[in-house]
Amino acid sequence: MEIFSELFNKDLILTNLHCSSKNDFFEKVSNYLMEKGYVTENFKKAIKEREQKYPTGLRTAPFHVAIPHTDPENIHTPFIMVVRPDQEIEFVEMGTDDQPVKARFIFVLGLNKSEAQAPLLQKLIEMFMNSEAMNRIVNENDENKIMDILKINVA
């Protein structure tokens, strides 16, 4: 998938990020993405609002995941940010209003081409349910090795 090299970047793989809450997570990630030039100033507000209206927690095994995202107008450069916080962060399960999901991984999607989203999301969800791949990512701290795992499973 040619789109892989356009979206994944080892600078956007954060392992052991300390966040006290989902809100703290959005603050830190939004500031980081803004500093790197990936998102607009409105991104932080927009991603929080979208998450409130349309929760993105996924109850997948072996680890729960969240895939927060916002509208394309808040994205300068398309990306997928991979975050493994130092502790699980509570999101609300997709399709519900109040079912908590303790996410071990958060994949922040910064996409601006809707036609590429469906096949990409399918590949990501397949990887989320691949115990071998997810166990390798949860135990790996080298961004280059995480990129290799992602490339094998998503590209």
Side-chain angles (χ1 to χ4, degrees):
M1 191 184 286
E2 175 187 320
I3 199 166
F4 180 88
S5 57
E6 296 171 21
L7 294 175
F8 288 93
N9 180 323
K10 70 178 184 176
D11 290 342
L12 297 182
I13 296 174
L14 303 180
T15 58
N16 301 314
L17 179 68
H18 178 72
C19 301
S20 58
S21 65
K22 180 172 58 175
N23 196 47
D24 186 37
F25 169 81
F26 283 132
E27 290 286 328
K28 288 178 177 173
V29 165
S30 296
N31 291 340
Y32 184 83
L33 289 167
M34 207 171 347
E35 284 172 23
K36 297 276 186 188
Y38 283 91
V39 299
T40 66
E41 286 188 26
N42 193 51
F43 177 84
K44 185 187 306 184
K45 179 177 183 268
I47 199 166
K48 287 179 183 181
E49 287 175 358
R50 183 169 176 98
E51 185 67 30
Q52 189 74 29
K53 289 181 191 165
Y54 306 104
T56 62
L58 297 173
R59 203 172 293 281
T60 52
F63 305 104
H64 300 317
V65 177
I67 53 170
H69 53 282
T70 189
D71 298 319
E73 64 264 16
N74 298 299
I75 309 301
H76 286 308
T77 304
F79 66 89
I80 295 179
M81 181 179 210
V82 180
V83 182
R84 187 185 70 212
D86 64 352
Q87 58 191 0
E88 295 171 331
I89 297 175
E90 189 172 293
F91 279 75
V92 174
E93 185 175 5
M94 190 180 289
T96 75
D97 292 330
D98 60 356
Q99 295 302 304
V101 172
K102 293 198 177 273
R104 185 68 185 99
F105 290 96
I106 298 108
F107 284 68
V108 182
L109 309 179
L111 306 176
N112 62 9
K113 292 181 187 169
S114 57
E115 70 275 4
Q117 285 186 28
L120 176 65
L121 287 173
Q122 186 59 43
K123 285 279 202 180
L124 284 171
I125 289 168
E126 287 171 15
M127 182 183 71
F128 299 158
M129 295 186 297
N130 178 334
S131 294
E132 181 186 339
M134 295 305 284
N135 279 312
R136 287 181 63 204
I137 295 172
V138 83
N139 292 309
E140 186 57 67
N141 290 314
D142 181 319
E143 289 86 359
N144 290 313
K145 290 181 180 172
I146 292 173
M147 281 289 287
D148 290 342
I149 297 164
L150 293 169
K151 190 166 200 144
I152 289 166
N153 289 280
V154 179

